[in-house]
Amino acid sequence: MTGATPHLTTHLSAQERSEGVRNYLRHAWWNGFGINLLNVNIISLLAISYGATNLQLGYLSSVFHLSGIVLVFLPRLLRGANIRDVFFYAWALRGLVAFLYAGLFFVSGQIAVVLIMVVYSAFAVFRSVGIPMQPLLQKRIVRPSEEGRLVSQLHVRLSATQLLSQVVGFALLSLETLIGTGVLILIPLLGAGSNTVGSFYISRIPSRDRVEYRRGQNVVVLFGEAMRHAERSRVLIMHWLGISVLIVYAFGIAFLRREVGMPANMVFLYTIAVALAAIVASNFMRPFADRIGSKPLVTITYTMLTVTALVWVVLPPTLPWAVYYALGFVCYFFLRLELLLVSRLVIRSLPGENRIGYTSMMHFFAAITALVVGMLAGALADLGLALPQISVHQYSFTFALAALLCIAAVVSGIRLHDAGSMSIRETASIFLSVQNLRAFLDIYHLDASADPVRREASLLSLERSASQLATGEIRRRLRTPVPSERRRILRSLAGYPRPVLQPELIEEAQDRDSFSRLEAISALGSYRSQQTIAALREFAQESDPAVQAAALRALAAAGSAAELTAALQLAQRPDLAPWIRADAVAAVLGMDTSSSCIGLLFDFAPPDRGRRYRQAVMALFAERYRFEPDLADCFRRENEQRSRGFRSLLTETRRLALFDQSAAQLLEHYREQRHAELRSWCAAALQNATVPPPLDLLAVAVSSQTAPHSTEPQADDDTTLVMLYATYQCLKAAAA
């Protein structure tokens, strides 16, 4: 086989994708600041100030999309050009042509309106040339699983800068009385400058994709092919309906200006509320888009838009302005959600080949739709003006059109196919349940956050959640090959049992080569089914003492005491590692329902063992038999400072007269390490006491203890402290 000359494909490396995302987000910042000073709301306000008619306003509302007609010629004219370069030049020219709004300083009346329409049309044409390149660049710079997150990031960045630009615009319009009427012209000029700066970041995005053109595949042919494709046809219909609804809702500006009588700066304040809604919607969608999918969210969103459109239909123009701001916020919250969700669907539905031709077709028919809807909305506004007796206000029929379009979108959304999407019922179960919503957000933060503290908090919250979503996520994480994460999940399943995951636990426990086998065996102790008990008994018969000890401890936790003899035999083997023997001791204590093993305290914690092991075993004994005070707390104090734990114990024992009378003597013996005298005192105290069973076995164990002989001085202290502790338990029981 001969070597071939290597060449790069259109796919980008991780470094190139990272660079692309970084520059795309920078472009989004400048573009977001500029576009809101150049959008249809501002241009409509500008046109209204020069006396534009409803039909002219309808044209302005639709021309943003109507200009897509130029896409008929785009693939053939730009064949072979780099899509990044096409995007860059289109956006740069889009910004430069907007500087022609400066001509409004020299004209007025209908001439000014015509100039606005011509400049805005040219602006929209250059946008239409660049916009088909946008989803292709986005698709290249992220992996499919990150598409929803990128779309949300972009819109958050766009919305935040749009909000900033609107605050600037509002401030300028508020100074109109000082600066003059020309301030409304300065706003789009400022936007043109920001747009031009933002276009240069496009040139830095890595891209090797080129515009494709296939002879014979014009927009009509591509439209026919798309309509025969079930999934793509529904996505396209949703896209065109979304544009139509957006065009109709743009008449809200005319309603506020002409019906409500708001001044220009207060209308601009309305657009700030709209921008805030967009930011909230983008942040709201970020956790949900990729995991829930677009279909259920789109259906719910259009249902809410139908309701809000009907509210606009009957809304009187005499209400407080805050009502219109609030309603605008709600409307544009759902409008932005719809745009984000459908954008995600459009990106996912792009064909593998001839993507430029496909997106050109999509925007061409969007242009036709926009023209029809824009003109129809303007005509309906004129009809509302002519028939005031059957309409609440001039734009009632226009917003009724929006409601009909939303209903059509709901029907289309129900029929939409979005692979991996949840059902509407599943989606509703998330939003209508606080527990499910919290679990869903925990899963999102666990996947999205790099902060270890945030991840730990999310994982802990998931482990405690009883929702099915949490169970599904824990099952998914059980499939990871990373031992540390598997162990963490298995330990959580012991503390927070999930019976539905019992088969996975048994399967893990049966795998002799699993790194986390012992954790799985231990976790089974929290599942008291017959299947679990049978599996644990099989594990307890294996030759590996670690497996035996873990299985016996789990059996004890599961409530089985039949293996007590086997656990005793294992716990008394001198050759076991400390942690294995500790498991065996725990098994004995768990199975000792009659407390017959209470006298084995010192046998299980011999002085030749390490201090930590002995303290742990002795504390286990005290906990199992519910002794008070807490022996573990006494050890903790003693480990902090010698004699502190002993003094704490003496304080608790002074409720008995014998201890109260001898407290000073006992403390002196302990401080001077006169352990033999302390042992003798304990034996003498128990000699004539009538200790009831089963604590009589513990009294015998204390009395039979020989003087400590460990080479570790601290071990002598521990033995002496526990002897006094055990003596107190026996005498307390005798006194009772």
Side-chain angles (χ1 to χ4, degrees), residues 664-716:
Q665 178 189 3
L666 294 172
L667 183 58
E668 182 182 354
H669 288 339
Y670 186 80
R671 283 175 172 171
E672 296 176 2
Q673 294 188 318
R674 286 149 53 186
H675 299 295
E677 285 87 341
L678 269 169
R679 180 193 63 82
S680 298
W681 187 92
C682 292
L686 291 170
Q687 187 172 6
N688 298 320
T690 303
V691 182
L695 284 173
D696 58 336
L697 300 175
L698 183 59
V700 171
V702 171
S703 299
S704 63
Q705 280 297 296
T706 59
H709 52 76
S710 172
T711 57
E712 186 182 354
Q714 191 65 41
D716 291 344

Side-chain angles (χ1 to χ4, degrees), residues 71 74 127-136 356 359-360 363:
L71 297 175
L74 185 65
R127 172 193 175 273
S128 295
V129 172
I131 206 68
M133 315 302 155
Q134 202 170 43
L136 303 181
I356 298 297
T359 55
S360 298
H363 290 288

Side-chain angles (χ1 to χ4, degrees), residues 380-411:
L380 288 172
D382 287 338
L383 182 63
L385 187 62
L387 300 173
Q389 64 275 15
I390 60 172
S391 62
V392 178
H393 54 76
Q394 179 180 349
Y395 298 96
S396 290
F397 295 143
T398 301
F399 287 114
L401 173 63
L404 292 175
L405 292 169
C406 290
I407 292 171
V410 170
V411 175

Side-chain angles (χ1 to χ4, degrees), residues 84-310:
R84 185 260 328 278
D85 295 338
V86 175
F87 191 18
F88 162 66
Y89 286 114
W91 236 245
L93 290 171
R94 186 182 87 146
L96 293 174
V97 76
F99 284 109
L100 295 176
Y101 285 119
L104 293 172
F105 285 113
F106 310 104
V107 295
S108 61
Q110 279 298 306
I111 296 176
V113 174
V114 171
L115 175 61
I116 292 170
M117 294 171 67
V118 170
V119 174
Y120 193 60
S121 298
F123 174 85
V125 166
F126 286 119
R127 172 193 175 273
S128 295
V129 172
I131 206 68
M133 315 302 155
Q134 202 170 43
L136 303 181
L137 278 179
Q138 290 180 19
K139 193 176 183 69
R140 282 296 184 215
I141 60 179
V142 292
R143 293 178 296 184
S145 61
E146 299 170 344
E147 288 167 355
R149 190 180 304 173
L150 174 66
V151 169
S152 182
Q153 281 182 313
L154 285 172
H155 282 273
V156 168
R157 186 72 61 97
L158 283 168
S159 300
T161 51
Q162 284 174 5
L163 178 62
L164 176 62
S165 67
Q166 285 173 319
V167 170
V168 172
F170 174 73
L172 289 173
L173 285 174
S174 299
L175 297 174
E176 185 175 359
T177 55
L178 299 176
I179 301 176
T181 56
V183 69
L184 194 56
I185 304 171
L186 290 175
I187 292 176
L189 295 179
L190 181 61
S194 179
N195 181 97
T196 305
V197 173
S199 66
F200 287 102
Y201 285 105
I202 299 173
S203 64
R204 300 179 183 179
I205 300 173
S207 172
R208 290 185 286 274
D209 284 282
R210 297 190 175 276
V211 177
E212 298 176 357
Y213 171 70
R214 294 189 175 186
R215 190 178 300 275
Q217 287 196 326
N218 56 46
V219 292
V220 177
V221 173
L222 290 171
F223 174 80
E225 292 178 354
M227 290 299 103
R228 287 191 294 271
H229 191 287
E231 180 180 353
R232 286 182 191 140
S233 63
R234 290 165 187 161
V235 171
L236 287 172
I237 290 171
M238 295 294 290
H239 175 67
W240 296 330
L241 284 171
I243 289 172
S244 301
V245 173
L246 187 63
I247 288 170
V248 177
Y249 266 99
F251 278 84
I253 298 295
F255 169 79
L256 296 176
R257 196 77 173 95
R258 288 178 170 169
E259 293 290 314
V260 179
M262 280 189 187
N265 63 329
M266 299 309 293
V267 174
F268 212 91
L269 192 60
Y270 170 84
T271 66
I272 293 179
V274 167
L276 282 173
I279 294 173
V280 174
S282 299
N283 282 285
F284 174 83
M285 193 204 77
R286 188 183 300 179
F288 302 106
D290 290 324
R291 192 173 290 270
I292 290 181
S294 292
K295 176 180 177 177
L297 295 176
V298 163
T299 305
I300 294 171
T301 297
Y302 270 118
T303 301
M304 298 306 299
L305 282 171
T306 303
V307 174
T308 56
L310 292 174

Side-chain angles (χ1 to χ4, degrees), residues 493-507:
L493 290 174
Y496 306 99
R498 298 178 189 272
V500 71
L501 297 182
Q502 179 180 292
E504 283 89 339
L505 284 176
I506 293 177
E507 182 182 353

Side-chain angles (χ1 to χ4, degrees), residues 59-98:
Y59 172 81
L60 288 173
S61 296
S62 61
V63 72
F64 208 60
H65 306 283
L66 174 62
S67 57
I69 291 175
V70 302
L71 297 175
V72 174
F73 316 103
L74 185 65
R76 180 179 298 180
L77 293 175
L78 300 177
R79 178 174 51 189
N82 188 296
I83 63 169
R84 185 260 328 278
D85 295 338
V86 175
F87 191 18
F88 162 66
Y89 286 114
W91 236 245
L93 290 171
R94 186 182 87 146
L96 293 174
V97 76

Side-chain angles (χ1 to χ4, degrees), residues 471-539:
T471 299
E473 180 64 15
I474 288 175
R475 174 183 277 122
R476 185 177 75 87
R477 292 187 174 275
L478 265 179
R479 294 173 182 148
T480 178
V482 181
S484 59
E485 187 168 347
R486 290 174 71 87
R487 290 188 181 115
R488 166 64 192 267
I489 296 297
L490 290 167
R491 284 194 291 267
S492 78
L493 290 174
Y496 306 99
R498 298 178 189 272
V500 71
L501 297 182
Q502 179 180 292
E504 283 89 339
L505 284 176
I506 293 177
E507 182 182 353
E508 180 85 22
Q510 289 172 338
D511 185 354
R512 294 172 182 259
D513 294 324
S514 171
F515 284 103
S516 47
R517 188 187 186 198
L518 295 180
E519 284 79 9
I521 292 173
S522 298
L524 285 172
S526 300
Y527 301 78
R528 301 192 171 194
S529 69
Q530 294 181 354
Q531 186 181 6
T532 298
I533 299 294
L536 289 172
R537 284 174 176 163
E538 288 182 12
F539 303 145

